[in-house]
Amino acid sequence: MASATLLSHKASARHSTRSYRDPSGPPSPHNTKKGIAIVILVILIIIGGSLAGLAALPKRKSQSSEPIKDEHGNIIITDDVYFYGDSEPIYPSPSMTGQGAWAESFKKAKQLVGRLTLEEKVRLTAGSSSNTSCPGFLPAVQRVGFPGMCLADAGNGLRGTDFVSSWPSGIHVGASWNKKLTRTRGEGMGREFRTKGVNVLLGPVVGPAGRVVLGGRNWEGFSSDPYLAGALVRETVQAVQGVGVITSTKHFVGNEQETNRNPGGDLQSVSSNIDDRTMHELYLWPFQDAVHAGTGNIMCSYQRVNNSYGCANSKTQNGLLKTELGFQGWVVSDWGAQHAGVATALAGMDVVMPNGDALWGEHLEDAVKNGSIPESRLEDMIIRTIASWYQMGQDEDFPPPGVGMAIDLTKPHRIVDGRNSSFRSTLLDGAVEGHVLVKNNRSALPLKDLKLLSIFGYSAKNPDVNNPTGGLSPWLFGAGSFDYEEFGAGFFSWSGSTAGKTAIAFNGTIYSGGGSGATSQSLVVAPFDAIVQQAYDDGTALLWDFYSGQPDVNPVSDACLVFGNAYATEGADRPGLRDDYTDGLIKHVADRCSNTIVVLHNAGIRLVNQFADHPNVTGIIFAHLPGEASGRALVSILYGQSNPSGKLPYTVARNEKDYAVLGPDKPEGIFARFPQSNFTEGVFVDYRHFDAQNIEPRYPFGFGLSYTTFGYSQLSVQRSSEANFYEYPIGAVVEGGQEDLWDILVTVEAEVSNTGDVAGAEVAQLYLGIPAGGAPVRQLRGFEKPFLNANSSETVRFELTRRDMSVWDVMTQKWRLVRGEYKIEVGGSSRDLPLVGTVTI
Ligand code: BGC
């Protein structure tokens, strides 16, 4: 739950008739006890003086209290002790080293921190209230010239305020496969945050990584492929931070389902149980790219990793992040994700949000005074935080924190316009390029010579209300088109209605998904609005019905457009990958209209098997979540002003059962109180699974049509003559890991030609088959997107790094460059790879 958001709207929330559970509030007695238990345990461990040795102790799988039984009389686990040691203990927490680019900021931060009192230091480790709508606010220490910091959502644009843009969401950016455009989006978005006085952008998202196909937040991230997600997170981090705003790359790590993400009552959060190799090759991979790109902040996640809470997990934070990846920035808790005091500090969490009242604050001061937490750890927390502030130049020329974040948009407030007209074309291009055309029969698209166009479906138009109405209004959370009671059930834990039961937003089109990753929708162009304008210019007659599931259809329509959506939101996983209402509507129209084109705004994977083969369904577009330019972008594609160039950043299956992991794991059996999610499929998610199991997808990963055609030729594979090919990297750890992991070992080139008669862009993809046991058949390891005029060609170049060609070796705890023959495939999708070559290492 975005409890910070809730905090910033506390006043109005109090007047709300609804009640909600605020996870940042007082801890449950259960958690307090657990916190005390962990504190005692940690102290004992320190006294014993051998933390590492404890890992070797036999696991105690005993119950510490009377056995408790479930309703069937089965004994269930009631004590965390059962899981002790599942996650390797890594202590102490590594201090910031100030290496490389961080040297100067590190020095300045140390000096500033040296001037703080203990009380001031403690104050800087936790959020505080403010008279802004910043979901998180780090307090000022004016005495030393630190004005505080505003932390605000999220990765798809600044949420919950006015005069900002609604940018294409993560999944849409992923579908564009366009690094340059991603960078420009990051810059445009970053500037808006900066103008509004937001120091930390709470994004981008690379966790969830898309393991659970029904996951409620997959749309916030770029792709279910770690390489694609990693390449785009790199662009985003560098671009946002390039304009002086710190990125909080989130949610670290293994945050794959919304169901049971937070503890409640007798239940603990779900545990993502991930083996070491899978962790490195899949879930950590894009975080590694973000750290390598210099992300100043990482947000630790709600759920548990190998049965240790994300923000109290010494293996992931001290071990993976701060040791192996050499992370120099600070770790902020997700809102309300702290469930232990001393343990989170020792495990490497640096700042708690939205406040530290329950477990840090004065308790942290006590813990430092009584020696439970070394003062050096406390100082490291703040040095990391303040260093990132210096690193982005926020000490020099940054607007006052939260200056453009009015606490209540219904009350008089100062206008701070974050938008910048030079990024309007980026908003439109971004919206265009994330549309993926997957069916285009009988050249249905682009539309031409329309005398009559008929439009159907609840999702063509804007919702009736698009207005911040005070308090916890749907506008703040991208929930204007959805059932707000149901949204609140998941997001605010409102009781009385069920979360995750409805698949669609039936009150209108969607520009983003729901929750903290939603965008602020002020100037939005719905598909219908843009079509009306176009039809007006062309003199096309328009008929529409947005209400009926079985509309009448004028038989002389030249084309029928059917609009549906697939909604998803933070706080709940999705009920399904298809919905019979929308599919029924599509079939109904298609039965009556020989040229039916389906447009689905999908916040995640949407199956189409129920109608895709209908002979009258001539076109299908996955329109994803385009942001404010939605309608304009769609019209430009429908009418051929733009040539579609998006490709699927995930696999569309024929049936649900084809996926490795469809839905979330639930509490069950002896784990009724400690839900377990075992990532037993390993790295075999999405196309890796389809390839391994030989399952034919409906539309493969990387697939998308264009109005032109492309050809591939002239593959060349070149081993570097300079790089070393040792089996293991030998370089020093820099931000992102050992520095030679980024050495380019092999260069691949191929010629891409536009063989059709209109200009267009093609996403050329390189897949690598690594000759190692347990490696997928192929993995994406490069992509380029040249724009080609008709009958022209271009040579694209892919650079394979040591990491790209390695597997994670659990014995040596290093990336291992495998010996043998690697297969290299290049083409237009993961299942259309005409160029095949090899390279031997
Ligand atoms: C979400 C985060 C978000 C935070 C602040 C949490 O509920 O998980 O992604 O940044 O709230 O609103």
Side-chain angles (χ1 to χ4, degrees):
M1 174 183 307
S3 43
T5 310
L6 303 182
L7 279 197
S8 59
H9 296 283
K10 225 177 190 167
S12 29
R14 270 200 295 270
H15 300 301
S16 156
T17 51
R18 305 301 320 233
S19 65
Y20 59 86
R21 187 181 53 77
D22 183 351
S24 63
S28 68
H30 183 86
N31 281 343
T32 313
K33 267 192 229 144
K34 202 179 83 189
I36 295 167
I38 292 173
V39 172
I40 294 170
L41 184 65
V42 170
I43 293 169
L44 285 176
I45 287 167
I46 289 171
I47 292 168
S50 174
L51 280 164
L54 275 172
L57 286 178
K59 254 175 137 182
R60 285 188 301 157
K61 296 280 180 190
S62 66
Q63 304 275 312
S64 62
S65 50
E66 281 296 293
I68 298 210
K69 297 181 179 169
D70 67 10
E71 68 272 26
H72 308 296
N74 302 318
I75 291 178
I76 58 171
I77 290 155
T78 57
D79 196 315
D80 236 347
V81 168
Y82 177 88
F83 301 101
Y84 183 74
D86 280 7
S87 185
E88 189 189 348
I90 307 285
Y91 298 95
S93 187
S95 293
M96 181 182 182
T97 58
Q99 62 185 352
W102 288 85
E104 195 57 26
S105 317
F106 177 58
K107 211 168 96 196
K108 288 187 195 161
K110 264 173 68 176
Q111 275 164 7
L112 186 145
V113 173
R115 293 164 57 207
L116 298 175
T117 65
L118 179 61
E119 188 273 327
E120 285 166 339
K121 288 178 198 164
V122 167
R123 201 157 13 115
L124 285 176
T125 63
S128 67
S129 60
S130 75
N131 58 356
T132 70
S133 62
C134 303
F137 202 93
L138 212 56
V141 184
Q142 298 295 4
R143 197 177 64 75
V144 293
F146 180 69
M149 284 202 231
C150 163
L151 293 76
D153 292 313
N156 306 318
L158 186 50
R159 182 185 61 81
T161 190
D162 50 9
F163 301 106
V164 288
S165 309
S166 164
W167 295 84
S169 289
I171 191 173
H172 205 85
V173 179
S176 79
W177 292 66
N178 188 330
K179 289 180 248 190
K180 226 168 121 196
L181 193 55
T182 304
R183 183 170 284 258
T184 325
R185 167 187 180 265
E187 189 190 330
M189 228 163 58
R191 281 179 194 270
E192 296 192 357
F193 279 72
R194 182 187 175 105
T195 308
K196 296 290 244 177
V198 179
N199 305 71
V200 181
L201 178 155
L202 298 174
V205 170
V206 288
R211 169 186 188 257
V212 177
V213 184
L214 289 171
R217 299 188 79 173
N218 292 348
W219 59 276
E220 294 185 48
F222 302 113
S223 170
S224 28
D225 178 83
Y227 181 91
L228 179 53
L232 300 180
V233 83
R234 165 186 302 276
E235 301 294 339
T236 306
V237 165
Q238 286 177 348
V240 171
Q241 295 200 155
V243 297
V245 174
I246 301 165
T247 50
S248 174
T249 307
K250 67 188 187 184
H251 307 85
F252 189 70
V253 57
N255 190 166
E256 297 299 316
Q257 64 175 62
E258 292 301 278
T259 305
N260 295 119
R261 66 176 183 157
N262 280 316
D266 277 344
L267 270 176
Q268 295 299 315
S269 295
V270 65
S271 175
S272 297
N273 302 328
I274 312 176
D275 68 86
D276 190 31
R277 178 166 176 187
T278 304
M279 174 62 92
H280 283 83
E281 295 185 9
L282 204 58
Y283 298 98
L284 188 64
W285 181 288
F287 281 104
Q288 181 167 16
D289 285 303
V291 175
H292 192 233
T295 190
N297 183 273
I298 294 273
M299 186 188 294
C300 56
S301 57
Y302 281 132
Q303 95 299 341
R304 294 151 58 112
V305 185
N306 297 331
N307 283 300
S308 165
Y309 270 99
C311 297
N313 194 310
S314 67
K315 169 67 185 177
T316 56
Q317 299 181 133
N318 290 343
L320 298 179
L321 190 59
K322 291 182 172 175
T323 305
E324 193 181 310
L325 300 189
F327 175 59
Q328 297 293 303
W330 46 298
V331 176
V332 67
S333 77
D334 198 343
W335 272 233
Q338 187 190 38
H339 303 295
V342 172
T344 48
L346 297 181
M349 192 186 97
D350 300 303
V351 167
V352 56
M353 282 290 163
N355 62 60
D357 300 354
L359 294 160
W360 276 8
E362 63 191 36
H363 310 294
L364 184 59
E365 198 172 327
D366 289 347
V368 171
K369 284 188 185 146
N370 71 21
S372 308
I373 297 172
E375 188 156 359
S376 58
R377 174 75 269 267
L378 173 65
E379 286 186 347
D380 180 54
M381 294 174 188
I382 312 152
I383 291 173
R384 286 171 174 274
T385 309
I386 301 288
S388 78
W389 179 73
Y390 281 123
Q391 184 75 358
M392 307 303 148
Q394 294 185 354
D395 57 317
E396 274 166 10
D397 166 31
F398 203 85
V403 66
M405 301 291 289
I407 193 158
D408 184 345
L409 296 175
T410 65
K411 303 264 160 59
H413 58 279
R414 175 176 160 198
I415 291 178
V416 178
D417 195 342
R419 298 164 305 166
N420 178 333
S421 56
S422 48
F423 286 91
R424 289 190 69 171
S425 59
T426 310
L427 283 155
L428 180 59
D429 292 347
V432 168
E433 292 203 22
H435 284 75
V436 183
L437 176 67
V438 292
K439 181 173 185 186
N440 190 14
N441 277 18
R442 307 200 302 265
S443 299
L445 293 173
L447 298 169
K448 43 204 145 324
D449 307 327
L450 295 182
K451 241 183 146 35
L452 172 62
L453 177 64
S454 294
I455 305 177
F456 303 101
Y458 53 89
S459 194
K461 61 165 185 68
N462 270 319
D464 290 341
V465 179
N466 187 54
N467 193 22
T469 49
L472 298 172
S473 81
W475 186 87
L476 295 173
F477 308 108
S481 297
F482 194 63
D483 176 341
Y484 199 47
E485 287 292 306
E486 187 182 329
F487 169 83
F491 191 68
F492 304 123
S493 300
W494 281 347
S495 54
S497 53
T498 322
K501 80 176 188 304
T502 310
I504 58 176
F506 43 78
N507 290 331
T509 193
I510 52 175
Y511 298 91
S512 74
S516 62
T519 59
S520 284
Q521 292 161 188
S522 317
L523 178 73
V524 285
V525 185
F528 181 59
D529 301 335
I531 294 169
V532 171
Q533 268 196 13
Q534 182 70 44
Y536 183 84
D537 290 347
D538 297 348
T540 302
L542 275 190
L543 295 173
W544 63 86
D545 183 340
F546 301 141
Y547 294 100
S548 176
Q550 300 185 320
D552 287 329
V553 179
N554 186 325
V556 303
S557 304
D558 296 299
C560 300
L561 297 175
V562 186
F563 286 90
N565 65 46
Y567 188 69
T569 176
E570 179 183 348
D573 294 310
R574 295 166 59 199
L577 295 180
R578 64 177 95 197
D579 77 277
D580 289 342
Y581 175 80
T582 309
D583 289 358
L585 167 70
I586 294 167
K587 280 187 283 188
H588 176 91
V589 172
D591 285 345
R592 291 160 182 77
C593 180
S594 64
N595 188 20
T596 299
I597 294 152
V598 177
V599 179
L600 293 169
H601 286 96
N602 53 317
I605 293 175
R606 168 68 157 85
L607 302 188
V608 294
N609 247 39
Q610 299 196 124
F611 60 82
D613 292 327
H614 192 298
N616 288 345
V617 171
T618 51
I620 303 177
I621 295 177
F622 287 115
H624 295 121
L625 302 167
E628 65 180 49
S630 174
R632 276 285 181 99
L634 182 73
V635 158
S636 136
I637 288 170
L638 291 178
Y639 287 81
Q641 296 140 15
S642 310
N643 189 350
S645 63
K647 303 246 184 174
L648 296 172
Y650 50 76
T651 300
V652 178
R654 291 180 181 273
N655 287 296
E656 287 80 354
K657 65 171 174 33
D658 294 345
Y659 288 104
V661 183
L662 179 64
D665 282 304
K666 308 250 169 72
E668 58 179 13
I670 59 166
F671 300 115
R673 293 189 180 179
F674 293 90
Q676 301 293 302
S677 186
N678 298 322
F679 289 28
T680 46
E681 72 292 339
V683 296
F684 295 93
V685 299
D686 205 79
Y687 67 89
R688 292 166 170 77
H689 167 75
F690 284 74
D691 287 345
Q693 301 298 317
N694 227 342
I695 302 168
E696 195 58 38
R698 161 59 74 174
Y699 302 119
F701 177 84
F703 171 75
L705 296 170
S706 159
Y707 296 151
T708 187
T709 47
F710 298 97
Y712 286 81
S713 62
Q714 318 255 356
L715 183 73
S716 91
V717 180
Q718 197 73 46
R719 263 176 68 123
S720 161
S721 52
E722 287 146 30
N724 79 58
F725 286 82
Y726 303 143
E727 195 170 5
Y728 296 101
I730 51 169
V733 172
V734 296
E735 268 180 293
Q738 286 189 275
E739 58 189 339
D740 46 348
L741 286 174
W742 274 269
D743 285 357
I744 294 157
L745 304 191
V746 172
T747 305
V748 178
E749 288 186 348
E751 193 168 292
V752 188
S753 313
N754 182 340
T755 49
D757 46 20
V758 286
E762 164 72 339
V763 180
Q765 301 158 42
L766 180 149
Y767 293 84
L768 190 67
I770 302 178
V777 176
R778 61 178 63 85
Q779 303 188 71
L780 183 73
R781 285 294 187 260
F783 63 96
E784 294 299 328
K785 191 173 185 182
F787 181 87
L788 299 166
N789 286 322
N791 295 314
S792 71
S793 330
E794 196 176 303
T795 299
V796 290
R797 187 186 163 91
F798 309 97
E799 295 178 329
L800 297 174
T801 65
R802 172 180 277 278
R803 185 184 62 151
D804 291 337
M805 304 191 73
S806 297
V807 294
W808 180 254
D809 184 336
V810 298
M811 296 306 288
T812 56
Q813 290 291 296
K814 283 189 187 303
W815 288 96
R816 178 167 67 92
L817 184 62
V818 180
R819 303 318 191 190
E821 191 180 87
Y822 288 67
K823 188 169 178 189
I824 291 168
E825 298 171 291
V826 175
S829 90
S830 64
R831 291 277 173 121
D832 175 18
L833 298 162
L835 303 183
V836 182
T838 57
V839 64
T840 302
I841 304 290

